[in-house]
Amino acid sequence: MKESLGNLKKAARELYLLEHTQATVSWDQETQMPDAANEERSDQLALLEGIMHQKLTSPEIGRLLSALGADDEKPEGKGNFDIEDKAFVREMYRSYSRASRLPEKLVTEIARQTGLAHSSWVEARKNADFSLFEEDLEKIIELNREKAGKIGYKDHPYDALLDEYEPWMTASKVEEVFGPLGKNLADLTARIAKKKQVETSFVEKKYPVDKQNAFGTKVVEKLGYDFGRGRLDISAHPFTTTLGTNDVRITTRYDESLVLSGLFSNIHEGGHAMYEMGVGENIQGNILAAGVSLGIHESQSRFWENMIGRSRAFWEIFYPDFQKTFSKQTEGVSLDDFYKAVNRVEPSFIRVEADEVTYSLHVILRFEIEKAMLSGDLKVSSLPDEWNRRMKSLLGIVPADDSEGVLQDVHWSAGLIGYFPTYALGNLYAAQFMNSMENQLGDVGKIVRSGDFSSILGWLRENIHQYGRVYPAEKLCRRVTGESLNPDYFMHYLENKYGEVYGLRGN
Ligand code: ZN
């Protein structure tokens, strides 16, 4: 057994290095590469992808995993290993079995179809005409159904897809959490809508991009992002990528007229990066050295972005500097007015621009629709009507056309079904973790007001980051908070914060 484990680690190490090589090539494509180089770059990436797939699904890895006794019932194998080695076998088995169950023909077909669908989605969105995308989406749903069948599931095909992004999570568990959450969020949104809206004209002014960059860079560094092991660049869509144990990079984008969007992007990606930078030395350099699930990953970015970055205490510390940097734009704007502007709540059509309260409603809508499409309960042709009906019932608004409705996200065209729930799960985990943090460290606002964030980052490292993928999300959540995922903490956090921002109390 020991020898098999050693050999599996050797093979996994090569995969790990290849993955980071691919990340490097891909980072360059998104940030530095001249457009003209795109065609060969796509070939380079496809080649690496193919080599990695071959390595991962090789008979050798299959043999080693079965020698270690890993199977569906016991993915961690039967070896008498320590907790990290068991987790290592479990994660290798997971990757291997998911990849080897998909026939090459299906993988190629999905790649081909998503290529086509991307073009038709771009066209459809540009023309606000869903019918241009309908046929391609139908094929993508069909292929995803086939994929789920090959991977296997107990209750719902959605489980097999969701598991790729949120390992060991099921659709029924998500439903159990999203059901009451949706009602509570819709109710809070409706109560806020009855109140006087906060003033935001001053954050819509023009803010020079170079100053935004200087300020945003300073903020992420102060929060704990280590520029000695990473860097910040500009890309079309902000992202975080790990190129090596000591190389976790973030990107952002700035727009003169969207000062808050750029800043909160920086903080958000910084949160993702600090997670990956914080994995324990004992698991560095192998498959465990990464976020355990997209939901937990998102909990780290949203914790820093929303719970810290949009808190009053944060702006007590940073507003004087912000005001000095942008004196013309913020002239006569008090801290209180600025804080409220940062936390404006309003039902809107576009998910990525949504505030903290309404954001998860956009996700719940997508989750329910994906599930219904996959099971065949919802025909793709009825999708726009269904979308609008649900928008009306959850957010009380109906988009004027499909480009600000059902066509707004790239995910479905890219074949990503089962991805959306992780965004909302992140909000829930973040609030639940913060509750535990406060139980142990005391008032987080007070720490933030001190301007020294190291005890907050230290707590996250000790309780979450250092473990990487050692504990599955559910187990990690129980270890950190003493219970499994519970949406009450998030609602409690929102009620408290927005009760104060909008003066909801006493009504
Ligand atoms: Zn994120």
Side-chain angles (χ1 to χ4, degrees):
M1 285 250 183
K2 270 250 139 37
E3 200 189 325
S4 299
L5 180 68
N7 287 334
L8 187 62
K9 281 189 175 172
K10 243 184 257 163
R13 173 77 184 156
E14 284 185 5
L15 269 167
Y16 186 78
L17 294 175
L18 276 167
E19 214 175 276
H20 287 168
T21 307
Q22 191 197 34
T24 309
V25 172
S26 166
W27 171 86
D28 177 74
Q29 181 181 37
E30 303 288 336
T31 58
Q32 313 288 331
M33 187 193 80
D35 285 348
N38 204 36
E39 205 178 322
E40 190 188 319
R41 185 55 53 91
S42 301
D43 289 347
Q44 294 168 355
L45 285 165
L47 175 66
L48 280 166
E49 186 70 47
I51 294 172
M52 279 158 60
H53 184 79
Q54 251 173 28
K55 269 195 173 295
L56 175 61
T57 56
S58 73
E60 171 68 1
I61 291 205
R63 222 171 23 245
L64 291 169
L65 283 165
S66 70
L68 288 160
D71 57 26
D72 282 355
E73 294 304 310
K74 233 178 156 26
E76 74 279 20
K78 300 194 175 79
N80 189 19
F81 302 135
D82 63 18
I83 185 140
E84 286 82 12
D85 283 344
K86 274 188 183 161
F88 169 76
V89 176
R90 184 193 70 222
E91 291 303 315
M92 281 305 292
Y93 179 75
R94 219 186 94 74
S95 298
Y96 169 80
S97 58
R98 283 192 68 95
S100 57
R101 279 170 197 178
L102 295 179
E104 208 181 316
K105 191 165 159 274
L106 180 59
V107 175
T108 316
E109 183 55 21
I110 291 175
R112 200 185 67 87
Q113 186 56 42
T114 51
L116 294 172
H118 185 74
S119 318
S120 67
W121 170 73
V122 170
E123 252 334 87
R125 192 164 82 143
K126 202 169 77 194
N127 294 293
D129 182 356
F130 179 74
S131 71
L132 301 173
F133 179 49
E134 185 182 323
E135 211 175 293
D136 281 329
L137 181 58
E138 240 162 46
K139 284 183 194 146
I140 282 180
I141 298 294
E142 188 49 51
L143 289 167
N144 267 284
R145 221 178 269 139
E146 200 182 331
K147 180 177 165 184
K150 297 284 183 200
I151 290 167
Y153 55 87
K154 279 203 187 99
D155 298 324
H156 197 286
Y158 197 84
D159 293 346
L161 305 177
L162 175 65
D163 184 79
E164 183 165 349
Y165 315 106
E166 197 63 23
W168 324 104
M169 180 58 92
T170 62
S172 67
K173 173 79 188 165
V174 172
E175 235 161 67
E176 204 180 287
V177 170
F178 280 7
L181 179 68
K183 284 196 189 74
N184 291 333
L185 288 174
D187 169 68
L188 176 57
T189 307
R191 276 184 286 137
I192 290 173
K194 291 197 187 114
K195 294 290 178 179
K196 187 169 173 279
Q197 189 50 283
V198 301
E199 170 67 36
T200 52
S201 59
F202 43 87
V203 292
E204 287 147 20
K205 290 182 176 165
K206 290 204 182 328
Y207 287 71
V209 162
D210 55 335
K211 286 187 179 177
Q212 284 191 43
N213 185 42
F215 186 81
T217 304
K218 203 163 27 174
V219 168
V220 288
E221 187 159 32
K222 192 124 194 301
L223 296 179
Y225 177 79
D226 180 358
F227 277 93
R229 298 170 63 205
R231 47 182 289 141
L232 169 65
D233 293 87
I234 306 288
S235 64
H237 300 281
F239 65 93
T240 301
T241 179
T242 294
L243 282 55
T245 302
N246 291 306
D247 192 351
V248 186
R249 304 183 188 186
I250 55 178
T251 72
T252 191
R253 61 177 165 199
Y254 301 109
D255 182 321
E256 243 190 6
S257 312
L258 298 168
V259 64
L260 293 182
S261 155
L263 174 63
F264 286 116
S265 253
N266 285 6
I267 302 179
H268 182 97
E269 299 308 328
H272 279 303
M274 286 189 273
Y275 183 14
E276 302 246 338
M277 282 174 163
V279 299
E281 269 174 36
N282 57 332
I283 55 166
Q284 275 176 6
N286 77 45
I287 194 171
L288 298 176
V292 64
S293 74
L294 293 191
I296 298 289
H297 231 304
E298 204 61 15
S299 79
Q300 297 309 294
S301 55
R302 279 163 201 264
F303 170 79
W304 287 105
E305 178 194 350
N306 293 332
M307 282 148 198
I308 301 296
R310 286 184 160 83
S311 71
R312 188 184 285 274
F314 177 90
W315 286 102
E316 282 174 29
I317 286 295
F318 285 102
Y319 191 56
D321 190 14
F322 187 86
Q323 222 177 5
K324 209 163 75 197
T325 313
F326 303 107
S327 52
K328 262 210 316 249
Q329 293 83 346
T330 57
E331 201 183 334
V333 179
S334 70
L335 169 67
D336 194 56
D337 288 344
F338 191 81
Y339 166 68
K340 285 181 176 165
V342 164
N343 289 292
R344 176 192 173 102
V345 173
E346 190 171 44
S348 60
F349 299 114
I350 306 296
R351 174 185 59 85
V352 296
E353 289 162 16
D355 55 77
E356 257 187 305
V357 176
T358 56
Y359 184 90
S360 300
L361 290 170
H362 292 263
V363 173
I364 292 170
L365 176 148
R366 285 155 176 79
F367 165 68
E368 287 172 350
I369 280 182
E370 285 183 335
K371 233 178 87 228
M373 283 196 295
L374 208 60
S375 64
D377 292 342
L378 171 62
K379 283 207 182 68
V380 172
S381 58
S382 325
L383 190 52
D385 288 341
E386 185 62 14
W387 180 282
N388 294 350
R389 192 184 67 75
R390 285 174 186 268
M391 274 300 279
K392 176 89 189 149
S393 98
L394 281 171
L395 285 148
I397 51 175
V398 179
D401 61 41
D402 291 341
S403 69
E404 61 175 18
V406 68
L407 291 171
Q408 66 184 273
D409 295 305
V410 70
H411 300 60
W412 292 341
S413 71
L416 302 175
I417 313 280
Y419 190 111
F420 281 119
T422 65
Y423 292 129
L425 292 174
N427 289 331
L428 307 181
Y429 280 126
Q432 196 167 337
F433 291 152
M434 182 153 94
N435 180 71
S436 296
M437 182 188 285
E438 295 218 296
N439 287 339
Q440 289 167 33
L441 298 182
D443 183 10
V444 166
K446 201 172 151 194
I447 302 173
V448 170
R449 246 174 249 119
S450 77
D452 178 357
F453 297 86
S454 58
S455 63
I456 295 175
L457 181 57
W459 188 93
L460 294 171
R461 287 232 156 111
E462 189 183 328
N463 289 281
I464 298 163
H465 301 176
Q466 65 157 320
Y467 296 114
R469 286 185 179 152
V470 173
Y471 300 110
E474 159 78 15
K475 180 96 186 276
L476 181 74
C477 183
R478 281 182 176 281
R479 278 178 60 95
V480 179
T481 71
E483 58 183 312
S484 71
L485 181 62
N486 178 350
D488 292 351
Y489 293 103
F490 182 56
M491 279 318 300
H492 186 71
Y493 156 78
L494 292 179
E495 288 282 352
N496 255 330
K497 177 172 175 179
Y498 291 92
E500 194 253 333
V501 171
Y502 279 93
L504 299 178
R505 297 214 185 88
N507 292 299

